[in-house]
Amino acid sequence: MTNRLARLLIGLFLYGFTMAMMVESTLGLDPWDVFHEGLADHLPLTFGQVVILVGAVVLLLWIPLRQMPGIGTVFNVIVIGLAADAGIAVIDQPDNPWLRGALLVGGVVGNGLAGAIYIGAQLGPGPRDGLWLGLVRRTGRSVRFWRTVIEVSVLAIGFVLGGTVGVGTVLYALTIGPIVQFFLPLTQARQPSDGSGRPHWSGTMRSRGAPRTEGCTITGSSVGSGDAE
């Protein structure tokens, strides 16, 4: 457990810090961060504080979905926002477009690595991932459907609020799934032999009413890719 907690905290801090790298590149953000940045432009809060606030609100939406948080879920709400603000404070926004591009690429790759590290700790999904997981379980609709609905919605709202949409948004959407999938086997925490360490994203999805006859396991590569059903 000590090892898994260390993985969790390292992964979450790196995740928030790489978010700051993408923010400082000014070349575009992932959908949720477009939303966070747009809200930050209209609230007396920092980017990281908005990340924490939104995470807490999304966590409340788990209640009607009967989704249970893990210790990783709670840390996710707090640590990522703090790390994002720390990163924004220490990273200077470069004027050189090549440096901005390098900051963006480093942020996307580092974000995928960070996601694999904290997912591999298997201590609970983040509040945003738990939202679509809960909706999938409660409605029987696919992961692709709910991730698309949620991420397109927050992207559109964030864009209207002034969040940065650009080449980084497209790059993130196209590459984050394969990057997480590449790093996940290298960062997976060793599971106990009794199976008690089952990953939080695995399970058989059931439609409303009768259970589906075919099991559906959402692997770690679905985080960020939205391709698993």
XYZ file of all heavy atoms in Angstrom, residues 12 27 140 154 181:
36
model
N -0.202 11.899 -9.622
C -1.109 13.046 -9.566
C -0.348 14.366 -9.647
O -0.779 15.307 -10.328
C -1.945 12.997 -8.284
C -2.958 11.858 -8.189
C -3.663 11.884 -6.840
C -3.990 11.939 -9.317
N -1.019 26.728 -26.647
C -1.322 26.148 -27.960
C -2.556 25.259 -27.946
O -2.866 24.621 -28.948
C -0.115 25.345 -28.468
C 1.132 26.159 -28.806
C 2.282 25.241 -29.176
C 0.847 27.135 -29.937
N -26.122 1.722 -19.245
C -25.840 0.665 -20.207
C -25.311 1.165 -21.534
O -25.014 0.362 -22.422
N -18.051 19.905 -22.203
C -17.166 20.779 -21.428
C -16.250 21.576 -22.357
O -15.895 22.721 -22.065
C -16.343 19.996 -20.383
C -17.260 19.382 -19.345
C -15.451 18.940 -21.016
N -1.696 3.920 -22.934
C -1.626 2.484 -23.184
C -0.174 2.012 -23.230
O 0.151 0.926 -22.740
C -2.317 2.144 -24.505
C -2.358 0.657 -24.807
C -3.173 0.332 -26.038
O -3.501 1.213 -26.827
N -3.513 -0.918 -26.218
